[in-house]
Amino acid sequence: MSTHCQLTGRQPGFGNHVSHSHRRTKRRFDPNIQRKRYWLPSEGRHIRLTLSTKAIKTVDTIGVEAAVARIRARGGKV
């Protein structure tokens, strides 16, 4: 599963683990990415999107048609 959101473009962030003795080692902050299936009425088919949980709430608010339009405007394939 790719670790970026199709709608918001969210990707992993990078930083350091800092131990009690203040030694630093690299770590990665992954976004909460989920695969979700939506019905797209204009095309009469289901689509499967890779979205962050914040983007899932955005799709619930603006609707799947507007979300797909935003993804396509960003150059994403649906």
Side-chain angles (χ1 to χ4, degrees):
M1 181 184 297
S2 75
T3 58
H4 77 279
C5 175
Q6 289 181 302
L7 183 61
T8 61
R10 237 170 234 234
Q11 293 179 336
F14 296 91
N16 290 305
H17 285 288
V18 181
S19 70
H20 179 70
S21 64
H22 219 61
R23 291 174 62 104
R24 294 163 190 261
T25 54
K26 295 302 280 181
R27 66 159 292 177
R28 177 176 156 141
F29 296 91
D30 287 323
N32 188 359
I33 299 292
Q34 308 290 323
R35 285 181 56 97
K36 189 135 169 71
R37 188 170 171 244
Y38 290 100
W39 172 252
L40 194 59
S42 63
E43 298 181 17
R45 67 184 180 106
H46 283 95
I47 57 171
R48 190 173 301 275
L49 300 175
T50 305
L51 302 171
S52 64
T53 50
K54 180 173 180 163
I56 291 172
K57 293 173 190 171
T58 302
V59 170
D60 290 344
T61 303
I62 66 173
V64 69
E65 297 286 345
V68 168
R70 283 190 193 179
I71 292 169
R72 288 181 173 151
R74 292 185 51 171
K77 186 177 175 189
V78 176

